[in-house]
Amino acid sequence: ETHGITFRIQIGVKELLDTDVLLKLLFHLPVNYPSTLPDISVNSDQLTRAQCMDVKDKLLEQAKKHLSEPMVHDLLLWIQQHLKYVIKQSATVCNEKPTLSKGTSTEDGIWMLLLHLDHMRAKAKYVKTVEKWTSDLRLTGRLMFMGRIILILLQGDRSNIKEYLILQKTSKVDVDSSGKKCKEKMISVLCETKVQSQHKRFQTFEVKEYSTLDELQKEFESAGLTTLFSEFVPPLLK
């Protein structure tokens, strides 16, 4: 593939906080890996979302030390040995986290992503999953339905936008024609760009249905996204 490869690894870490912790790690290796850092997503039923984000940040810090050399195996060994300390440190800097997050997003800026989905067979479950991901990753925006058009418009830190995209492409979010769970294969990234000063920031994530193209257009216009609408939405009707 021109986009590299994505794979999941599950590892158990023993005797942490009196319980075994199962880490679910998702690595996306770009085409020019290891000259470019991998994208990493971290999930665990035993850890909070904030702790998972801290583990991810620490793994990326370690990855920078191994730039230009294969690193996934080294990262797995490192987190098995250091998870306990990362979690302890996570607890001690908890109160400082908003300041740290603010600094990070100022440095990288707020980004925007516009996705087009071909269909949703299991709509209720799909919508609930999208709402959970956006909440976990602190993303705002809209899930928009207009006739057969389904759009997801997101705003947030660039790293969280990237993580959302990995989840969207690799998780079983829908069902196929026979009712079996399946990954989203019919998705298009219409636009991924930095939020500009003329763009209005969404304060929440909402699911909305529109009965006409005019209504949908007004949603984009009210957010200062008229150009985005005219460039990407009308062609979807053809």
Side-chain angles (χ1 to χ4, degrees), residues 121-133:
R121 284 197 176 93
K123 184 176 176 181
K125 176 182 175 293
Y126 204 132
V127 169
K128 193 174 178 182
T129 301
V130 170
E131 287 178 320
K132 182 180 187 310
W133 288 342

Side-chain angles (χ1 to χ4, degrees), residues 172-237:
K172 291 185 177 180
V173 286
D174 208 0
V175 296
D176 61 20
S177 54
S178 63
K180 288 176 66 176
K181 289 182 180 179
C182 65
K183 294 176 185 176
E184 178 57 77
K185 294 175 182 173
M186 306 285 284
I187 184 170
S188 306
V189 178
L190 300 179
C191 179
E192 187 177 356
T193 185
K194 199 169 185 176
V195 170
Q196 304 300 319
S197 55
Q198 70 269 26
H199 299 153
K200 178 186 165 189
R201 287 291 312 280
F202 292 109
Q203 299 304 309
T204 57
F205 181 80
E206 296 177 31
V207 180
K208 300 184 79 171
E209 304 222 8
Y210 309 85
S211 52
T212 66
L213 192 63
D214 260 2
E215 285 181 18
L216 184 59
Q217 185 170 352
K218 282 172 185 168
E219 181 76 74
F220 277 80
E221 287 174 352
S222 66
L225 300 171
T226 306
T227 306
L228 190 74
F229 175 87
S230 57
E231 187 173 349
F232 295 106
V233 181
L236 297 175
L237 295 168

Side-chain angles (χ1 to χ4, degrees), residues 20-24 43-48 51-52 132:
D20 291 351
V21 172
L22 183 66
L23 283 181
K24 302 169 187 174
N43 281 288
S44 174
D45 294 337
Q46 289 83 32
L47 303 179
T48 65
Q51 288 172 326
C52 287
K132 182 180 187 310

Side-chain angles (χ1 to χ4, degrees), residues 1-6 28-33 39 169 189:
E1 287 185 28
T2 55
H3 300 298
I5 61 169
T6 301
H28 174 249
L29 308 185
V31 177
N32 45 0
Y33 167 86
D39 282 326
K169 289 180 175 179
V189 178

Side-chain angles (χ1 to χ4, degrees), residues 58-73:
K58 293 296 181 187
L59 282 171
L60 286 172
E61 277 178 30
Q62 289 301 310
K64 288 174 185 174
K65 299 176 183 178
H66 295 280
L67 201 57
S68 297
E69 60 188 55
M71 65 184 78
V72 174
H73 184 251

